[in-house]
PDB file of all heavy atoms in Angstrom:
ATOM      1  N   ILE A  31       2.172   7.068  -6.648  1.00 37.00           N
ATOM      2  CA  ILE A  31       1.261   8.080  -7.123  1.00 37.00           C
ATOM      3  C   ILE A  31       1.802   9.461  -6.858  1.00 37.00           C
ATOM      4  O   ILE A  31       1.736  10.263  -7.688  1.00 37.00           O
ATOM      5  CB  ILE A  31      -0.070   7.901  -6.476  1.00 37.00           C
ATOM      6  CG1 ILE A  31      -0.791   6.565  -6.731  1.00 37.00           C
ATOM      7  CG2 ILE A  31      -1.045   9.049  -6.600  1.00 37.00           C
ATOM      8  CD1 ILE A  31      -2.007   6.263  -5.922  1.00 37.00           C
ATOM      9  N   THR A  34       4.543  10.303  -9.343  1.00 47.00           N
ATOM     10  CA  THR A  34       3.898  10.641 -10.682  1.00 47.00           C
ATOM     11  C   THR A  34       3.353  12.020 -10.797  1.00 47.00           C
ATOM     12  O   THR A  34       3.440  12.755 -11.648  1.00 47.00           O
ATOM     13  CB  THR A  34       2.785   9.573 -11.063  1.00 47.00           C
ATOM     14  OG1 THR A  34       3.390   8.177 -10.976  1.00 47.00           O
ATOM     15  CG2 THR A  34       2.266   9.790 -12.339  1.00 47.00           C
ATOM     16  N   ALA A  40       6.042  19.085 -12.450  1.00 42.00           N
ATOM     17  CA  ALA A  40       7.248  19.628 -12.900  1.00 42.00           C
ATOM     18  C   ALA A  40       7.226  19.875 -14.437  1.00 42.00           C
ATOM     19  O   ALA A  40       7.829  20.809 -14.952  1.00 42.00           O
ATOM     20  CB  ALA A  40       8.373  18.833 -12.407  1.00 42.00           C
ATOM     21  N   VAL A  43       5.571  23.136 -15.471  1.00 40.00           N
ATOM     22  CA  VAL A  43       6.171  24.388 -15.194  1.00 40.00           C
ATOM     23  C   VAL A  43       7.023  24.848 -16.323  1.00 40.00           C
ATOM     24  O   VAL A  43       7.838  24.055 -16.814  1.00 40.00           O
ATOM     25  CB  VAL A  43       7.029  24.272 -13.872  1.00 40.00           C
ATOM     26  CG1 VAL A  43       7.757  25.554 -13.646  1.00 40.00           C
ATOM     27  CG2 VAL A  43       6.172  23.913 -12.755  1.00 40.00           C
ATOM     28  N   SER A  50      13.896  36.187 -22.786  1.00 59.00           N
ATOM     29  CA  SER A  50      12.381  36.359 -22.844  1.00 59.00           C
ATOM     30  C   SER A  50      11.898  37.214 -21.703  1.00 59.00           C
ATOM     31  O   SER A  50      10.954  38.029 -21.837  1.00 59.00           O
ATOM     32  CB  SER A  50      11.664  35.038 -22.850  1.00 59.00           C
ATOM     33  OG  SER A  50      11.973  34.272 -21.679  1.00 59.00           O
ATOM     34  N   ALA A  53      12.877  40.764 -22.488  1.00 56.00           N
ATOM     35  CA  ALA A  53      11.984  41.298 -23.617  1.00 56.00           C
ATOM     36  C   ALA A  53      10.692  41.891 -23.060  1.00 56.00           C
ATOM     37  O   ALA A  53      10.078  42.773 -23.651  1.00 56.00           O
ATOM     38  CB  ALA A  53      11.865  40.182 -24.622  1.00 56.00           C
ATOM     39  N   ARG A  95      69.214  56.221 -12.251  1.00 89.00           N
ATOM     40  CA  ARG A  95      70.181  56.708 -11.204  1.00 89.00           C
ATOM     41  C   ARG A  95      71.651  56.279 -11.586  1.00 89.00           C
ATOM     42  O   ARG A  95      72.534  57.061 -11.498  1.00 89.00           O
ATOM     43  CB  ARG A  95      69.755  56.035  -9.879  1.00 89.00           C
ATOM     44  CG  ARG A  95      70.738  56.430  -8.794  1.00 89.00           C
ATOM     45  CD  ARG A  95      70.321  55.570  -7.582  1.00 89.00           C
ATOM     46  NE  ARG A  95      68.993  55.987  -7.010  1.00 89.00           N
ATOM     47  CZ  ARG A  95      68.749  56.903  -6.292  1.00 89.00           C
ATOM     48  NH1 ARG A  95      69.547  57.785  -5.842  1.00 89.00           N
ATOM     49  NH2 ARG A  95      67.424  57.141  -5.861  1.00 89.00           N
ATOM     50  N   ASP A 102      76.563  59.720 -17.556  1.00 85.00           N
ATOM     51  CA  ASP A 102      76.191  59.377 -18.905  1.00 85.00           C
ATOM     52  C   ASP A 102      74.717  59.780 -19.183  1.00 85.00           C
ATOM     53  O   ASP A 102      73.872  58.885 -19.039  1.00 85.00           O
ATOM     54  CB  ASP A 102      76.260  57.777 -19.098  1.00 85.00           C
ATOM     55  CG  ASP A 102      76.341  57.374 -20.525  1.00 85.00           C
ATOM     56  OD1 ASP A 102      76.046  58.283 -21.393  1.00 85.00           O
ATOM     57  OD2 ASP A 102      76.569  56.183 -20.853  1.00 85.00           O
ATOM     58  N   ALA A 106      70.928  57.813 -20.370  1.00 88.00           N
ATOM     59  CA  ALA A 106      69.729  57.984 -19.499  1.00 88.00           C
ATOM     60  C   ALA A 106      68.600  58.393 -20.439  1.00 88.00           C
ATOM     61  O   ALA A 106      67.522  57.939 -20.398  1.00 88.00           O
ATOM     62  CB  ALA A 106      70.001  59.083 -18.399  1.00 88.00           C
ATOM     63  N   PRO A 116      54.037  56.012 -18.608  1.00 91.00           N
ATOM     64  CA  PRO A 116      53.963  57.470 -18.286  1.00 91.00           C
ATOM     65  C   PRO A 116      55.165  57.940 -17.438  1.00 91.00           C
ATOM     66  O   PRO A 116      55.582  59.016 -17.567  1.00 91.00           O
ATOM     67  CB  PRO A 116      52.636  57.403 -17.405  1.00 91.00           C
ATOM     68  CG  PRO A 116      51.930  56.260 -17.928  1.00 91.00           C
ATOM     69  CD  PRO A 116      52.916  55.237 -18.337  1.00 91.00           C
ATOM     70  N   ILE A 121      59.951  61.238 -16.757  1.00 91.00           N
ATOM     71  CA  ILE A 121      61.426  61.465 -16.486  1.00 91.00           C
ATOM     72  C   ILE A 121      62.221  61.948 -17.778  1.00 91.00           C
ATOM     73  O   ILE A 121      63.082  62.690 -17.625  1.00 91.00           O
ATOM     74  CB  ILE A 121      61.999  59.988 -16.132  1.00 91.00           C
ATOM     75  CG1 ILE A 121      61.279  59.529 -14.760  1.00 91.00           C
ATOM     76  CG2 ILE A 121      63.490  60.098 -15.879  1.00 91.00           C
ATOM     77  CD1 ILE A 121      61.490  60.448 -13.685  1.00 91.00           C
ATOM     78  N   VAL A 159      28.821  58.644 -15.574  1.00 94.00           N
ATOM     79  CA  VAL A 159      27.485  59.054 -15.936  1.00 94.00           C
ATOM     80  C   VAL A 159      26.480  58.065 -16.097  1.00 94.00           C
ATOM     81  O   VAL A 159      25.245  58.047 -15.606  1.00 94.00           O
ATOM     82  CB  VAL A 159      27.526  59.845 -17.231  1.00 94.00           C
ATOM     83  CG1 VAL A 159      26.202  60.187 -17.891  1.00 94.00           C
ATOM     84  CG2 VAL A 159      28.334  61.235 -17.079  1.00 94.00           C
ATOM     85  N   THR A 172       9.456  51.745 -15.459  1.00 75.00           N
ATOM     86  CA  THR A 172       8.445  51.250 -14.583  1.00 75.00           C
ATOM     87  C   THR A 172       7.325  52.090 -14.369  1.00 75.00           C
ATOM     88  O   THR A 172       6.243  51.748 -14.371  1.00 75.00           O
ATOM     89  CB  THR A 172       9.145  50.988 -13.242  1.00 75.00           C
ATOM     90  OG1 THR A 172      10.162  49.956 -13.404  1.00 75.00           O
ATOM     91  CG2 THR A 172       8.216  50.461 -12.197  1.00 75.00           C
ATOM     92  N   ILE A 174       6.346  54.518 -16.519  1.00 73.00           N
ATOM     93  CA  ILE A 174       5.455  54.478 -17.730  1.00 73.00           C
ATOM     94  C   ILE A 174       4.632  53.146 -17.844  1.00 73.00           C
ATOM     95  O   ILE A 174       3.450  53.196 -18.195  1.00 73.00           O
ATOM     96  CB  ILE A 174       6.280  54.663 -18.981  1.00 73.00           C
ATOM     97  CG1 ILE A 174       7.016  55.999 -18.978  1.00 73.00           C
ATOM     98  CG2 ILE A 174       5.592  54.366 -20.322  1.00 73.00           C
ATOM     99  CD1 ILE A 174       7.970  56.038 -20.113  1.00 73.00           C
ATOM    100  N   LEU A 180      -2.396  50.943 -15.124  1.00 63.00           N
ATOM    101  CA  LEU A 180      -3.585  51.488 -14.494  1.00 63.00           C
ATOM    102  C   LEU A 180      -4.662  51.895 -15.468  1.00 63.00           C
ATOM    103  O   LEU A 180      -5.786  51.692 -15.218  1.00 63.00           O
ATOM    104  CB  LEU A 180      -3.140  52.582 -13.637  1.00 63.00           C
ATOM    105  CG  LEU A 180      -2.262  52.352 -12.385  1.00 63.00           C
ATOM    106  CD1 LEU A 180      -1.851  53.678 -11.780  1.00 63.00           C
ATOM    107  CD2 LEU A 180      -3.031  51.500 -11.463  1.00 63.00           C
ATOM    108  N   LYS A 181      -4.258  52.310 -16.663  1.00 66.00           N
ATOM    109  CA  LYS A 181      -5.141  52.780 -17.689  1.00 66.00           C
ATOM    110  C   LYS A 181      -5.917  51.407 -18.173  1.00 66.00           C
ATOM    111  O   LYS A 181      -7.004  51.537 -18.498  1.00 66.00           O
ATOM    112  CB  LYS A 181      -4.391  53.437 -18.713  1.00 66.00           C
ATOM    113  CG  LYS A 181      -5.472  53.949 -19.915  1.00 66.00           C
ATOM    114  CD  LYS A 181      -4.602  54.691 -20.961  1.00 66.00           C
ATOM    115  CE  LYS A 181      -5.477  55.161 -22.005  1.00 66.00           C
ATOM    116  NZ  LYS A 181      -4.802  55.781 -23.119  1.00 66.00           N
ATOM    117  N   GLN A 193      -3.681  38.883 -11.633  1.00 57.00           N
ATOM    118  CA  GLN A 193      -3.355  39.708 -12.865  1.00 57.00           C
ATOM    119  C   GLN A 193      -2.558  40.928 -12.469  1.00 57.00           C
ATOM    120  O   GLN A 193      -1.592  41.293 -13.133  1.00 57.00           O
ATOM    121  CB  GLN A 193      -4.788  40.130 -13.341  1.00 57.00           C
ATOM    122  CG  GLN A 193      -5.604  39.022 -14.114  1.00 57.00           C
ATOM    123  CD  GLN A 193      -6.724  39.548 -14.689  1.00 57.00           C
ATOM    124  OE1 GLN A 193      -7.577  40.334 -13.997  1.00 57.00           O
ATOM    125  NE2 GLN A 193      -7.131  39.189 -15.838  1.00 57.00           N
ATOM    126  N   ILE A 194      -2.962  41.500 -11.301  1.00 60.00           N
ATOM    127  CA  ILE A 194      -2.142  42.690 -10.799  1.00 60.00           C
ATOM    128  C   ILE A 194      -0.703  42.354 -10.485  1.00 60.00           C
ATOM    129  O   ILE A 194       0.171  42.919 -10.845  1.00 60.00           O
ATOM    130  CB  ILE A 194      -2.941  43.360  -9.635  1.00 60.00           C
ATOM    131  CG1 ILE A 194      -4.281  43.843  -9.970  1.00 60.00           C
ATOM    132  CG2 ILE A 194      -2.033  44.435  -8.969  1.00 60.00           C
ATOM    133  CD1 ILE A 194      -5.062  44.273  -8.826  1.00 60.00           C
ATOM    134  N   ILE A 210      20.904  47.150 -11.701  1.00 92.00           N
ATOM    135  CA  ILE A 210      22.082  46.265 -11.966  1.00 92.00           C
ATOM    136  C   ILE A 210      23.027  46.884 -12.876  1.00 92.00           C
ATOM    137  O   ILE A 210      24.407  46.889 -12.462  1.00 92.00           O
ATOM    138  CB  ILE A 210      21.600  44.950 -12.532  1.00 92.00           C
ATOM    139  CG1 ILE A 210      20.702  44.156 -11.538  1.00 92.00           C
ATOM    140  CG2 ILE A 210      22.696  44.099 -12.964  1.00 92.00           C
ATOM    141  CD1 ILE A 210      20.012  42.886 -12.213  1.00 92.00           C
ATOM    142  N   ALA A 215      28.364  49.540 -13.484  1.00 95.00           N
ATOM    143  CA  ALA A 215      29.106  50.818 -13.942  1.00 95.00           C
ATOM    144  C   ALA A 215      29.817  51.447 -12.707  1.00 95.00           C
ATOM    145  O   ALA A 215      31.012  51.926 -12.854  1.00 95.00           O
ATOM    146  CB  ALA A 215      28.081  51.723 -14.499  1.00 95.00           C
ATOM    147  N   VAL A 248      77.977  63.347  -8.820  1.00 57.00           N
ATOM    148  CA  VAL A 248      78.288  62.589  -9.940  1.00 57.00           C
ATOM    149  C   VAL A 248      79.613  61.897  -9.637  1.00 57.00           C
ATOM    150  O   VAL A 248      80.518  62.533  -9.229  1.00 57.00           O
ATOM    151  CB  VAL A 248      78.358  63.429 -11.219  1.00 57.00           C
ATOM    152  CG1 VAL A 248      78.660  62.565 -12.356  1.00 57.00           C
ATOM    153  CG2 VAL A 248      77.054  64.144 -11.439  1.00 57.00           C
TER     154      VAL A 248
END
Side-chain angles (χ1 to χ4, degrees):
I31 294 174
T34 305
V43 176
S50 62
R95 180 187 299 274
D102 195 352
I121 298 301
V159 170
T172 296
I174 293 174
L180 292 175
K181 184 178 179 181
Q193 287 177 321
I194 297 176
I210 292 173
V248 178

